[in-house]
Amino acid sequence: MSGLSALDITLLAVAALLVGFSKTAIGGVSSISIALFAAVLPARESTGALLPLLLVGDVVAVRAYRRHADWPTLIRLFPSVAVGVLVGAVFVAYVDDTVMRRTIGALLLTIVAYHLWQRRNRKDQKDQKGGSAEPWRNRHAAALVFGLLAGFTTMVANAGGPAMSLYLLSSGYTKLGFLGTYAWFFLIVNAFKLPFSAALGLLTPQSLVQDAVLAVAVLIGAFIGRACVHRLDQKVFERLVILFTALSSLNLLR
C-alpha cells in the first residue's frame, strides 16, 4: 500500500469491511465499496483491486447460505449474464472512466425507478384481485434483461449487485432465498470475470498484495453481516437494498 495516505488506507479498509457485510447481509451496501475504491484509486485500477475481495466475500457467503439458492433461476440467468460480461469487456476496452461510470449510474437509476413502479403496479393488481399478483409475468424475459444488465455492469465496474438485487426482490424472494441465490450467482460470475479482468490489465501484482491485507476486513464484515441479518425485518431489508442502490447510482453520475 505504498503511496497511500493513512486516510486512503482507512477508506479502503472500510470498503473491504462493507464488501463482507454486503455479501452476508444487505447486498446494496457493496455499491458504497465501489464508490470508496473509486475515490481512492483510479477508476480502472479500483475495479481490478476490488474483484478479488468480492470473491473472498462470495466464498464466505456461499458457505453461509449455500442451501438457500434457487438453481432454476440461476440457470435461467447465466446465458444472458455471460453475454453481458463479454459486452462489458469490450466496453471497458474502448471507453474512458467517466463515460463508464455515468452509463452505469443511469442504468441503475432506471432499474430502481422501474422496480418501484412495478412494485406499486403489483400492489394495485393484488388489491383489485384480492389475492397475490405474479412478480414477473414473463420470467424468461426478465431474466434476459436483468442478466444482460448484471453481466455488463459487473464487468465494467463490479456494479452488478444492484441489478441482481432488484431482480431478486421483484421475484419475491425471502431474505435467505435472496442471500443464497445472490451468493452463488456472484461467486460463479466473479470467477468467470477473472480472466477478462486479467487480460484487460485490471489485475496487478500490487493490487493483489493490497487485497491480501484487506481480505481480513472482508472476513470481519462478513461475520458482522451474518450476525445482523436475522434481526432484519423483510420489509426493512428490501427498503435498505433499494435505498443503497439508489444512493450508489446517484454517486456514479457525479
Side-chain angles (χ1 to χ4, degrees), residues 64-146:
Y65 304 119
R66 61 188 179 277
R67 290 177 295 179
H68 301 285
D70 182 355
W71 282 100
T73 292
L74 290 172
I75 292 170
R76 192 160 53 235
L77 281 165
F78 283 140
S80 58
V81 171
V83 174
V85 169
L86 294 174
V87 173
V90 174
F91 187 77
V92 170
Y94 287 99
V95 304
D96 61 27
D97 290 343
T98 301
V99 173
M100 187 166 69
R101 185 181 67 245
R102 291 176 178 172
T103 299
I104 293 169
L107 287 171
L108 294 180
L109 277 178
T110 301
I111 294 173
V112 171
Y114 176 76
H115 170 74
L116 293 175
W117 172 83
Q118 187 205 48
R119 190 169 67 170
R120 180 176 180 178
N121 190 45
R122 192 164 67 240
K123 182 178 183 297
D124 291 341
Q125 290 177 6
K126 182 178 178 180
D127 291 340
Q128 291 173 7
K129 296 178 181 178
S132 60
E134 177 66 26
W136 291 113
R137 291 184 177 180
N138 190 327
R139 291 182 179 273
H140 291 286
L144 174 63
V145 172
F146 277 86

Side-chain angles (χ1 to χ4, degrees), residues 40-63:
V40 174
L41 304 171
R44 290 174 66 89
E45 183 181 332
S46 70
T47 300
L50 190 56
L51 179 56
L53 296 178
L54 292 171
L55 276 166
V56 172
D58 292 329
V59 171
V60 175
V62 164
R63 284 181 59 85

Side-chain angles (χ1 to χ4, degrees), residues 233-251:
D233 176 77
Q234 178 71 23
K235 289 185 178 179
V236 173
F237 175 81
E238 293 182 6
R239 288 169 183 168
L240 287 173
V241 170
I242 294 169
L243 173 63
F244 283 117
T245 299
L247 290 176
S248 62
S249 302
L250 288 171
N251 178 68

Side-chain angles (χ1 to χ4, degrees), residues 19-29 57-70 74 164-165 168-169 172-187 222 225-232 234 237-238 241:
V19 166
F21 183 83
S22 72
K23 295 296 183 179
T24 56
I26 303 171
V29 174
D58 292 329
V59 171
V60 175
V62 164
R63 284 181 59 85
Y65 304 119
R66 61 188 179 277
R67 290 177 295 179
H68 301 285
D70 182 355
L74 290 172
M164 187 62 179
S165 295
L168 294 178
L169 287 180
Y173 284 91
T174 62
K175 279 189 300 183
L176 291 179
F178 176 104
L179 290 166
T181 307
Y182 189 94
W184 274 110
F185 177 86
F186 279 105
L187 176 62
R226 189 83 168 96
C228 292
V229 69
H230 294 293
R231 301 179 184 180
L232 286 173
Q234 178 71 23
F237 175 81
E238 293 182 6
V241 170

